[in-house]
Amino acid sequence: MGGAAVAAVALLVLVGGAHPVAGALLAAALAGLAGVQAARAREKAALLREEVAQTHAQVSAGEPSLPYTAVINALPDPVMVISAYEPDDLTGRRFVLVNLAARDVLKIQRDAGLLVTAIRDPDVLEAVDEALFGALAGEAIYEPGGTQERIFRAYASPLGMGTDGGRLALLVLHDETEIRRVERMRADFLANASHELRTPLASLSGFIETLRGHARADEGAREKFLGIMQVQAERMSRLIDDLMSLSRIELNEHVAPDQEVDLAAAVSDVVDAVAPMAQERKIRMSVELPPRGTVKVVGDRDQIVQVAQNLVDNAMKYSSPDGEVRVRLEWGLSADAAAAGRMENAARLPLLTPDHGPERYAALSVSDDGPGMAREHLPRLTERFYRVEGQKSGEKSGTGLGLAIVKHIMNRHRGGLVVESALGRGATFTAYFPVDARKARGEAPLNKPSDVAKVS
């Protein structure tokens, strides 16, 4: 509607209440305005359907049109255009356009194909059917599964009819993983902190009451109680640090790191850092590492150091007096070789298995000669605060979160974790990382004895 028409309508609005003829003209003008707006809306909808149908026909013919393909590929959320003809033909739902994000999340290799080959969730498929044949927008929660937990909210919207007579619908997956993780992290942190901090807080409260009471003038008791209170306070500090660290790792667990890390250098730094403690405890360190710069992985260096530190600390903690901790780094391994056993006649269990691809892996193995564990304990080792019976006191006391942290870090790095143990013979933990494909030259070289530096 032009400017003159708008001015005329405004004038009629001013005088419409004072004259019946003007009121009638006002009603007619408003009706005309509404009719024009409705016609324009119908025209825009028809143009949109025509553009979508044209895009659909071009994609079906193998000729994606621009700028629509470029726009859809630039979207961060997975987007699919679904086509179908008959409601009863359950295998007739096909995706005819997918953007790059959808290809990555749903592991789609082709431009078009059956929808059920990409998504099998019944709630999502039902929402798509409602959009296709009921012309109703719908949504559903979609969890693709796999090692890395992902949670999406799927939105299905009708797009009308295509030029070939098929019905079209738009499916958009919005990532809600981080939101759900934040909610879960808050709940877990409160539950764990309130449970695990109760005992040291009660201990501190009791000793404070004692020191303020009958032990006020007892210097020997005061020194003893203050020492115990310091131990409890340090335990609470470690517990809070580990809980915060675990929460941060879980929050970003679905986001793979993208830095290049020298794995051999990271492990070597950890070994150097624990050497004084090992010497103090008279524990021998047997280390087999390739030269620095030999093994490159994609990861977060601080978290990789944390993995090595936790595994070495555990091995030292449970090693017998004058025992030995063995650290070995192998590389150029297949997934099966990386997860293979390294202890003879020992119980073995994968605690984390990655979604295997064509990658080669670097495997960090840390072994001790401590008391070992029975087979029934192995599945629960990465649970929060789980402790093997008989290993809960003395120097071996800790927060119980070390292996849980290791598992979540390895999951973020798309790696794996294996434990082996035999009673009386110790345990071996193996964490394996995908080798950096950007640095690989074809097949990664297998280990050679001359390439491994041994330090005892």
Side-chain angles (χ1 to χ4, degrees), residues 172-214:
V172 180
L173 303 179
H174 181 65
D175 195 344
E176 294 188 348
T177 307
E178 187 169 345
I179 297 174
R180 300 296 182 95
R181 287 186 184 276
V182 169
E183 295 173 353
R184 187 185 308 165
M185 179 187 70
R186 184 185 302 113
D188 288 347
F189 182 85
L190 291 175
N192 292 326
S194 62
H195 179 267
E196 293 296 322
L197 292 176
R198 184 177 291 114
T199 299
L201 282 174
S203 177
L204 286 173
S205 178
F207 286 125
I208 290 172
E209 183 178 349
T210 301
L211 289 174
R212 297 181 64 182
H214 63 273

Side-chain angles (χ1 to χ4, degrees), residues 15-145:
V15 302
H19 197 284
V21 175
L25 291 174
L26 172 61
L30 291 176
L33 177 60
V36 171
Q37 290 176 336
R40 287 185 175 179
R42 288 194 297 271
E43 181 181 353
K44 288 182 179 179
L47 288 175
L48 179 60
R49 284 195 298 271
E50 183 179 349
E51 290 172 353
V52 171
Q54 181 181 2
T55 301
H56 167 54
Q58 290 174 334
V59 171
S60 300
E63 301 174 0
S65 62
L66 293 174
Y68 306 108
T69 302
V71 170
I72 291 176
N73 281 332
L75 295 175
D77 287 338
V79 176
M80 307 175 74
V81 175
I82 313 300
S83 173
Y85 295 91
E86 299 294 336
D88 297 333
D89 184 8
L90 299 180
T91 62
R93 281 69 162 162
R94 300 178 62 85
F95 59 87
V96 295
L97 183 65
V98 290
N99 69 345
L100 294 177
R103 291 175 183 270
D104 179 57
V105 169
L106 301 175
K107 311 303 181 187
I108 296 175
Q109 303 294 331
R110 298 187 298 172
D111 295 330
L114 294 178
L115 178 60
V116 293
T117 62
I119 297 178
R120 298 180 177 87
D121 187 279
D123 293 335
V124 177
L125 296 178
E126 182 179 354
V128 171
D129 278 359
E130 288 292 333
L132 287 170
F133 302 106
L136 298 174
E139 61 183 68
I141 297 298
Y142 174 55
E143 299 184 35

